[in-house]
Amino acid sequence: MTANRAKRTERTQDTTRATTRATRAAKPTARASAARGSRVGHDARGADRDSPRPGPGRVSDEPDDGTELDHRKAAILNAVVAEYIETAQPVGSAHITGNPGVEVSSATVRSEMAALERDGYLAQPHTSAGRIPTDKGYRFFVDHLGRPGTLGPHERHEVRRFFAHVHGEVEDLLGRTSGLLASLTDYAAVVVGPRHESATIRSVQLVGLSPRLALLVVVLSDGAVEKRAVDLPADASDDLLAEAATHLATCARGGTLANPGTFPELRDHSVNVIVRCGVAALGELAATGEPDHVFVGGSSHMASAFDAVETVRSVLSILEQQLVVVELIEDILDRGLSVAIGAEHGFEPLASCALVLAPVAIEGEVAGTIGVVGPTRMHYPRALAAVELVGEQLGAHLGAGTTTGRSGPGRAKASTPVRATRPVRRRREPGGGD
């Protein structure tokens, strides 16, 4: 109970800090903040960062024209989002008057909220109710976080302790990591494991099982260990196996299972025979690679995250389809996103969801993905902080080579920090979302 109370307190503090940061970023005298907003909101394909006019959803010093927000509207919008995230109730003007940047009368706040509704940032579920954020409103809030929130000391200690004591096969590690992330955020957590086709070979060993049977053990850069039984045409001593393994490791190090490199002939014919058997086994490992693996933890959190039973059933059904989840995640990351809100990801069955994602990097190469799936009314500062911390710790743990076992998919090049970047282009019909 104490831990839950502390978690609720930390969430409120995270949201308050995020709102304060967004309000400060909205002040017209802060040229540096305006520049930061330009960086956060830029097109991932290289839109002009030096453009003198802010893009959609950015803060402007000028009056609102339907595509820009002045500092007061920005402060009101962020206060509404923060309040709705905490309470799940429509927000009235009285609830946010007096917040940072909202030191104006309730009548002025009501007028500004009506303008934000006209511009598509807020919606009013009922005539007599307050307002709730739209996907566009959430996107503005996320874009102006500036950086992820922070986890409390208890949660940070929990993450450090987890990775200090977790051992076992890669699948077990990834599955337990998804459970850890779900417990930190109260959302469903998704971990996509590394793909061997992009992993390089770190070491090769041959272990004798019988005079004519050996076990090929290959350690990959993604932390996985592949094993393959090798039938030998003649009896082989431990010394011959050790010499062959040394030659295999020397020549294959830095290569991949599909392309391990070249293996020059040695003087000892018996060693060459074993080496050829080992190379053949490497090819068999590459040819029999397992399909993509997705590890989902905390699915039970979906029941409390959504009000509609049908929505819960639909989300859970999607999370059970590994191929769909992997393709969706890769498409989101390919478009330069780390946060996809509502219809932004272009996948109708998850239109009521938000996804916060981060690549898992091992020695500078992306070897998987980690993230959370929850309602659009997600606690974004906390989700971003948790995904970033757990992703960093998972990559470091896999890179240390302390785990063993097989694993699944991944991506290909270097990692970037978790950032709430805007999408380059949303694939949806006109009028859907912002």
Side-chain angles (χ1 to χ4, degrees), residues 203-269:
S203 68
V204 180
Q205 298 178 18
L206 282 170
V207 180
L209 302 178
S210 69
R212 293 199 177 191
L213 181 64
L215 181 67
L216 179 75
V217 182
V218 184
V219 181
L220 301 175
S221 61
D222 59 17
V225 176
E226 292 284 354
K227 307 180 185 72
R228 189 79 176 182
V230 180
D231 290 315
L232 304 175
D235 292 356
S237 65
D238 291 340
D239 290 340
L240 283 176
L241 289 176
E243 189 175 349
T246 299
H247 189 56
L248 282 167
T250 301
C251 298
R253 188 176 294 115
T256 63
L257 291 177
N259 185 19
T262 57
F263 301 84
E265 292 282 316
L266 299 175
R267 292 182 178 179
D268 192 325
H269 174 72

Side-chain angles (χ1 to χ4, degrees), residues 9-21 78-79 81-86 141 145 149 378-382:
T9 301
E10 289 156 6
R11 288 182 174 184
T12 303
Q13 292 172 345
D14 278 347
T15 307
T16 302
R17 285 193 292 267
T19 306
T20 303
R21 284 197 298 271
N78 281 285
V81 175
E83 178 74 14
Y84 186 67
I85 285 173
E86 292 298 328
F141 179 80
L145 286 175
M378 178 184 286
H379 194 295
Y380 293 100
R382 184 179 184 83

Side-chain angles (χ1 to χ4, degrees), residues 270-335:
S270 299
V271 175
N272 289 330
V273 170
I274 299 174
V275 168
R276 285 194 290 270
C277 292
V279 172
L282 289 173
E284 292 169 2
L285 286 173
T288 59
E290 291 185 354
D292 292 351
H293 281 185
V294 178
F295 302 84
V296 178
S299 297
S300 58
H301 294 303
M302 291 292 100
S304 58
F306 296 96
D307 296 329
V309 175
E310 283 303 316
T311 302
V312 175
R313 185 177 292 114
S314 173
V315 174
L316 292 178
S317 174
I318 294 300
L319 292 179
E320 290 174 355
Q321 302 177 46
Q322 290 191 8
L323 181 60
V324 172
V325 173
V326 171
E327 290 181 347
L328 174 63
I329 288 175
E330 291 195 347
D331 179 63
I332 290 172
L333 293 176
D334 284 344
R335 288 187 285 137

Side-chain angles (χ1 to χ4, degrees), residues 47-70:
D48 183 7
R49 298 186 180 185
D50 300 321
S51 173
R53 291 183 58 81
R58 296 181 198 160
V59 177
S60 171
D61 303 348
E62 303 300 326
D64 182 65
D65 66 357
T67 61
E68 302 169 358
L69 295 183
D70 59 36

